[in-house]
Amino acid sequence: DLMNTYVPNNGWTEERHRTRRQWDEGLAAFLADRSAAGQRPLVWCGDLNVAHKPEDSTDEEAFRNEWDRDGKRFATKEAYLQAIPEGDRGIPGFSDNERRQFDKLLVAGALFDAWRR
């Protein structure tokens, strides 16, 4: 089977982080149910909005340390650090929480990264 998704971008705010977590939780439930039912193998493609591993990044350090790319949300880096939990920091798609959640999605659906296999 083929599943094509556009996964919501994590964004820069707690509201967007919450939206992404809700999406991930719903998708994990879907994948787990599908896997438990013993359905045909699944190819999942689309815009997954996560750089799953550091090697998926062209500049891991820069992306992980970015705090407000367009300068519209936080007046200072200190304000950003106070507002955003450590696990959600960095350019959307590169945070620790997004990467951990993506790992959980792969497990829930009994999926693997075909590029690395």
Side-chain angles (χ1 to χ4, degrees):
D1 292 338
L2 177 66
M3 179 173 75
N4 184 33
T5 60
Y6 172 80
V7 176
N9 185 290
N10 199 47
W12 292 95
T13 65
E14 184 55 36
E15 179 183 354
R16 292 293 304 152
H17 299 161
R18 192 171 30 259
T19 297
R20 174 62 182 268
R21 283 191 295 272
Q22 290 170 344
W23 166 271
D24 288 341
E25 289 166 6
L27 184 57
F30 166 79
L31 291 171
D33 289 348
R34 189 183 185 290
S35 181
Q39 294 191 15
R40 296 183 310 181
L42 176 69
V43 175
W44 178 22
C45 59
D47 186 345
L48 308 183
N49 266 319
V50 65
H52 183 217
K53 302 283 185 188
E55 53 268 27
D56 295 327
S57 170
T58 57
D59 193 342
E60 181 72 1
E61 184 177 347
F63 293 150
R64 303 258 306 156
N65 292 314
E66 182 68 47
W67 60 277
D68 195 10
R69 179 160 277 213
D70 58 14
K72 294 179 182 173
R73 291 170 193 86
F74 302 98
T76 65
K77 185 171 185 174
E78 291 73 27
Y80 170 76
L81 294 175
Q82 286 183 327
I84 303 299
E86 186 174 345
D88 287 321
R89 293 180 187 159
I91 288 181
F94 293 85
S95 74
D96 290 336
N97 286 341
E98 290 169 285
R99 288 175 170 174
R100 277 192 292 270
Q101 187 58 38
F102 192 75
D103 285 333
K104 290 178 184 178
L105 292 172
L106 294 179
V107 169
L111 301 171
F112 60 89
D113 184 337
W115 176 258
R116 291 195 171 86
R117 205 155 221 209

